[in-house]
C-alpha cells in the first residue's frame, strides 16, 4: 500500500491503491505539529506525497487513510 523514503531534507511517502480513492497521509512529528496531505488517486497508479523539511529523526508515526468505493481504511506505515 505504501513506502517511505527519506531524502536530504524531505520525506516522501508513495502510495498505490487498487481502485480510485481519496488518500490522506498524516505525518506525526516529535514535539511539532503534524502535517497532512490529501490527494485523489487513480487505481493502480502510484502517487508520491512530499513533505518538505521533514527529517527522519523527527518522524514519530506515518498514517495513511483511504476513502474509496469500499469501507474506509487506515494503516500505519513502517518508519524505514
Amino acid at each position: 500500500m505504501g513506502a517511505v523514503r527519506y531524502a536530504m531534507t524531505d520525506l516522501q511517502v508513495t502510495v498505490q491503491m487498487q481502485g480510485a480513492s481519496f488518500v490522506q497521509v498524516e505525518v506525526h512529528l516529535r514535539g511539532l505539529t503534524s502535517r497532512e496531505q490529501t490527494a485523489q488517486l487513480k487505481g493502480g497508479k502510484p502517487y508520491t506525497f512530499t513533505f518538505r523539511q521533514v527529517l527522519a529523526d523527527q518522524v514519530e508515526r506515518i498514517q495513511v487513510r483511504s476513502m474509496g468505493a469500499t469501507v474506509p481504511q487506515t494503516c500505519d506505515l513502517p518508519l524505514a
Side-chain angles (χ1 to χ4, degrees), residues 11-64:
L11 165 68
Q12 296 178 338
V13 179
T14 301
V15 178
Q16 184 171 350
M17 308 299 287
Q18 288 183 355
S21 63
F22 284 97
V23 174
Q24 180 184 59
V25 175
E26 185 172 4
V27 179
H28 299 266
L29 303 171
R30 288 184 183 92
L32 300 169
T33 303
S34 296
R35 297 195 194 175
E36 61 183 51
Q37 293 182 23
T38 304
Q40 184 175 2
L41 276 62
K42 297 183 182 198
K45 295 187 179 188
Y47 183 88
T48 300
F49 295 87
T50 300
F51 294 88
R52 304 267 182 230
Q53 303 300 314
V54 173
L55 304 176
D57 62 348
Q58 295 174 319
V59 178
E60 189 172 83
R61 179 180 179 197
I62 301 171
Q63 191 172 42
V64 177

